[in-house]
Amino acid sequence: RVRSPGTNCLKIREMGDEAPLEIMDQENQSRVSTRMAAHPSKPVPLEKASSEILPGYNYPEVEPRPHTLSYMVPAPPRWCYKYKVGRMYVCRAEKITSELGEPEIKIRCMLGACWPMTFITMGIISIISLSALWTFLPRLNFMWHLAAMLILGTNLVALGLTGTVDPGIVRRDPEDMEREPDIRTRRWSNMAKAYIRKNEAFCEESQVIVRGMDHFCPWTGTVIAEGNMPYFQMFLGSLCTLLGFVALVAFTSSLTIAAGRKPNPL
């Protein structure tokens, strides 16, 4: 047994051993324990996590197939989102307490797989509507202007909410995938590589499992499911109302011109 100079280790060398066995000294062990107790590891906040995968939504990253709509869609700028869930991008998520008192993650804002289409559709609706209203509204009174801005604003807000809220993504934990499922309530999905319930479906464009899936809408840029269906219905209703209102404005303005009346400011 020999103490090496300049070290805190003891070397035990036995006959026939080719390599020495090093054992840490008790003094060195106590020093390491004291250092670890003085600097405990701190949990990483949700907003500053280094991984791009949102905890509890462990979806594998799969390259889109050539026949999908999102095949040529690039990812948004990195500063726009914090996590990836399948082919969707989470901009803001918070830790909340569920009704059972357990902590869970709530997605507040996200972008769909075809996220540019959300803003392109907003631009198309705004340009066409404002061009038509700019042509015919000056001949009508202020109440027509107010109604036009209200209907157009409602339509754009509904479109924005449809494309940015959580559509109803199902949590996907590795532990849940290993459990034996109840075949009466769940079935195996080859595309999702997971067991899904009867009211759940796998969206190939978004690469996630959603509840109450209706379809993938390229104009809103995201999947339409349980979470954003009310906003999507509001968007369709306000869009039809906007089309009818623009037609009514054009017809009323034409009658005003035919009658030779001047525009009424009130």
Side-chain angles (χ1 to χ4, degrees):
R1 179 173 300 185
V2 181
R3 179 180 294 274
S4 300
T7 63
N8 292 324
C9 295
L10 294 177
K11 293 184 178 179
I12 299 178
R13 180 169 298 179
E14 297 181 0
M15 298 299 295
D17 292 342
E18 298 180 357
L21 177 64
E22 295 187 2
I23 302 178
M24 182 176 290
D25 196 9
Q26 294 182 357
E27 181 182 354
N28 197 16
Q29 288 183 357
S30 61
R31 185 182 297 110
V32 173
S33 302
T34 304
R35 188 183 300 114
M36 293 179 63
H39 302 281
S41 59
K42 298 181 180 180
V44 180
L46 180 62
E47 293 78 5
K48 297 182 180 179
S50 59
S51 175
E52 288 189 2
I53 299 178
L54 186 64
Y57 295 85
N58 189 19
Y59 283 89
E61 186 173 353
V62 181
E63 292 294 331
R65 298 182 181 181
H67 67 274
T68 57
L69 296 174
S70 59
Y71 175 66
M72 298 297 293
V73 178
R78 190 61 187 87
W79 55 267
C80 289
Y81 68 98
K82 297 179 180 179
Y83 306 97
K84 287 188 66 175
V85 179
R87 286 279 295 169
M88 306 186 75
Y89 308 92
V90 179
C91 303
R92 182 169 174 262
E94 295 178 352
K95 286 184 178 180
I96 63 173
T97 303
S98 63
E99 297 178 355
L100 301 177
E102 299 179 354
E104 64 179 20
I105 296 176
K106 178 68 174 179
I107 299 177
R108 298 296 185 184
C109 180
M110 68 187 315
L111 299 175
C114 293
W115 61 274
M117 288 302 301
T118 306
F119 305 100
I120 293 175
T121 305
M122 284 185 177
I124 293 174
I125 294 175
S126 300
I127 293 174
I128 295 177
S129 301
L130 292 176
S131 299
L133 295 174
W134 182 269
T135 304
F136 300 107
L137 273 181
R139 301 181 180 90
L140 303 177
N141 57 35
F142 174 75
M143 297 303 297
W144 289 87
H145 293 72
L146 183 62
M149 295 299 103
L150 180 62
I151 297 174
L152 179 59
T154 302
N155 180 255
L156 296 179
V157 170
L159 174 58
L161 291 174
T162 302
T164 56
V165 301
D166 180 11
I169 302 176
V170 178
R171 294 174 58 87
R172 189 179 189 276
D173 292 321
E175 297 179 357
D176 296 337
M177 301 296 104
E178 298 175 358
R179 296 175 183 174
E180 188 67 22
D182 187 355
I183 59 175
R184 294 173 297 179
T185 58
R186 293 193 178 189
R187 68 184 189 277
W188 175 258
S189 172
N190 290 326
M191 298 182 64
K193 299 296 187 293
Y195 290 96
I196 60 178
R197 297 178 178 86
K198 293 182 179 180
N199 65 331
E200 299 172 351
F202 180 76
C203 176
E204 188 176 3
E205 298 284 350
S206 304
Q207 294 291 323
V208 294
I209 304 172
V210 291
R211 292 182 296 270
M213 177 178 174
D214 188 79
H215 69 287
F216 183 87
C217 178
W219 294 103
T220 60
T222 188
V223 57
I224 306 301
E226 179 182 297
N228 58 358
M229 178 61 76
Y231 302 115
F232 181 70
Q233 293 175 345
M234 184 187 302
F235 165 67
L236 294 181
S238 59
L239 181 61
C240 295
T241 304
L242 180 61
L243 293 175
F245 181 80
V246 171
L248 180 62
V249 168
F251 178 73
T252 306
S253 179
S254 301
L255 292 180
T256 303
I257 296 175
R261 297 194 301 267
K262 294 182 179 180
N264 185 0
L266 302 178

